[in-house]
Amino acid sequence: MRKVKKAIIPAAGLGTRFLPVTKAMPKEMLPIVDKPTIQYIVEEAIASGIEDIIIVTGKGKRAIEDHFDHNFELEDNLVKKGKFDLLEKVKDSSNVDIHYIRQKDPKGLGHAVWCARKFIGNEPFAVLLGDDIVQAETPGLKQLINQYKETQCSVVGVQQVEENETDRYGIVDPIEKKGRRYQVKQFVEKPKLGTAPSNLAIMGRYVLTPEIFTFLDKHEIGAGGEIQLTDAIQQLNEIQNVFAYDFEGTRYDVGEKLGFITTTIEMALQHDDLRGELLAYLENVVVREKIVK
Ligand code: UTP
């Protein structure tokens, strides 16, 4: 049985929804409390048993490489000051290997994944998007890997979204349900409102068989003028099953401004040293805004 050991994290997009901050700073480095978004994603991959990660980067993304590198000056300074708790936080203490590849032109998610094809070779692999943070008892990706172990087929993570949001996602047209797993008739990228076959949306977690590259090799342009991963998944689904799995846990959308702000608040509330004061502050804000009204 082939094991899922490698993961791709595409992080070469332009992040236009966060301009101007993303002009010089990668969207994936925006902090959620005290960690950049991409660190949550890397931690989920490690907790899911991934041994090698390849991050697809692009222009202006050097900060990502620096973040996962050792910073000897900083570490030395923290040792001298006896700040060992902080030292642990900045040191790369995991056993995972992180590699990088550049996507010279951000032609779309499908193209970003295609850029990592030589690193993947002929193995099943995972894809985790930096836009979605998943908090779950069993890590989101691990739930998909467990499904892969059972089926030996590609599996895409989905959750339900509101009907008026379906045009923002890849949507699945499910046929049959077994537990939380669906057999899928069709995968559609960003269907027009009112035309979506369901409200089950792809949430940035995938386990794919290497045959996906046969379709990504074609560089077909899809929705929004981009090379879409969903289109290649649909073509793969025509020659071998691609399942959708309604994973357990909370998914936070950090790819757009409001989602980013609410995620930051939710994560901050999980910090014991911030929770009390933040709650008091939020209560004050509500009272103040009501008075102003
Ligand atoms: P998004 O479409 O959400 O990211 O892609 P974006 O294009 O950077 O953001 P906006 O829409 O302009 O605000 C999802 C993930 O895929 C990566 C992004 O970096 C993001 O993590 N991506 C997207 C690539 O690596 N390359 C691409 O060509 C497109």
Side-chain angles (χ1 to χ4, degrees):
M1 194 170 78
R2 296 186 298 177
K3 224 179 133 201
V4 182
K5 292 183 289 193
K6 295 177 182 171
I8 303 174
I9 303 181
L14 296 176
T16 53
R17 283 169 288 175
F18 280 95
L19 279 170
V21 70
T22 44
K23 229 178 121 189
M25 155 128 124
K27 168 171 85 170
E28 297 76 10
M29 285 301 291
L30 292 175
I32 307 286
V33 189
D34 55 3
K35 282 195 276 188
T37 304
I38 196 165
Q39 192 172 332
Y40 290 87
I41 313 296
V42 166
E43 287 174 0
E44 182 187 330
I46 294 168
S48 303
I50 293 296
E51 295 168 18
D52 278 278
I53 293 174
I54 189 159
I55 301 180
V56 184
T57 65
K59 200 167 168 280
K61 302 272 183 172
R62 280 278 299 278
I64 297 177
E65 292 185 40
D66 288 343
H67 178 75
F68 290 109
D69 202 357
H70 280 291
N71 183 334
F72 293 108
E73 252 175 42
L74 176 63
E75 287 171 21
D76 187 47
N77 188 291
L78 292 172
V79 170
K80 282 183 185 145
K81 289 183 177 155
K83 295 186 174 173
F84 296 106
D85 51 334
L86 288 179
L87 182 67
E88 273 316 298
K89 284 187 183 169
V90 298
K91 260 173 113 173
D92 179 20
S93 53
S94 70
N95 289 324
V96 78
D97 280 321
I98 302 187
H99 315 258
Y100 300 91
I101 185 127
R102 271 177 96 89
Q103 182 190 22
K104 291 193 187 86
D105 195 4
K107 293 180 184 169
L109 178 59
H111 183 258
V113 170
W114 177 83
C115 287
R117 68 201 178 283
K118 289 183 185 154
F119 169 81
I120 298 297
N122 196 26
E123 293 176 35
F125 63 99
V127 178
L128 302 97
L129 301 195
D131 277 16
D132 293 310
I133 293 178
V134 176
Q135 278 196 325
E137 216 163 283
T138 305
L141 178 63
K142 191 157 192 196
Q143 296 179 45
L144 299 193
I145 292 177
N146 290 342
Q147 292 301 310
Y148 172 79
K149 280 183 190 160
E150 220 177 294
T151 60
Q152 294 291 292
C153 289
S154 301
V155 193
V156 171
V158 295
Q159 280 194 344
Q160 297 200 358
V161 295
E162 298 294 329
E163 220 112 289
N164 61 359
E165 290 177 341
T166 46
D167 60 340
R168 286 171 37 198
Y169 297 92
I171 301 289
V172 307
D173 185 358
I175 311 173
E176 212 182 86
K177 193 178 181 194
K178 191 178 166 203
R180 305 182 76 94
R181 189 173 73 214
Y182 295 88
Q183 199 162 2
V184 178
K185 188 172 163 204
Q186 226 192 338
F187 294 84
V188 199
E189 182 64 23
K190 299 190 178 73
K192 285 206 178 83
L193 279 184
T195 68
S198 77
N199 63 346
L200 287 171
I202 302 176
M203 291 299 175
R205 297 292 182 275
Y206 311 75
V207 172
L208 298 169
T209 56
E211 287 76 24
I212 190 82
F213 292 114
T214 316
F215 304 105
L216 289 175
D217 277 343
K218 295 196 220 160
H219 290 203
E220 278 172 13
I221 308 290
E226 295 192 347
I227 299 171
Q228 297 289 357
L229 181 58
T230 307
D231 294 344
I233 289 174
Q234 168 52 24
Q235 294 175 43
L236 180 65
N237 191 37
E238 285 164 16
I239 59 159
Q240 51 178 244
N241 268 330
V242 178
F243 291 104
Y245 186 74
D246 184 2
F247 60 90
E248 287 177 81
T250 310
R251 166 254 178 189
Y252 297 100
D253 181 4
V254 292
E256 48 95 25
K257 283 182 224 170
L258 186 62
F260 175 78
I261 292 164
T262 51
T263 305
T264 302
I265 293 171
E266 290 290 343
M267 296 288 182
L269 289 172
Q270 294 174 20
H271 284 244
D272 290 341
D273 55 333
L274 299 174
R275 186 178 166 81
E277 283 181 62
L278 179 58
L279 273 177
Y281 171 74
L282 292 172
E283 273 166 20
N284 273 337
V285 171
V286 172
V287 172
R288 186 190 69 203
E289 293 300 308
K290 276 188 181 153
I291 291 170
V292 172
K293 265 186 188 171

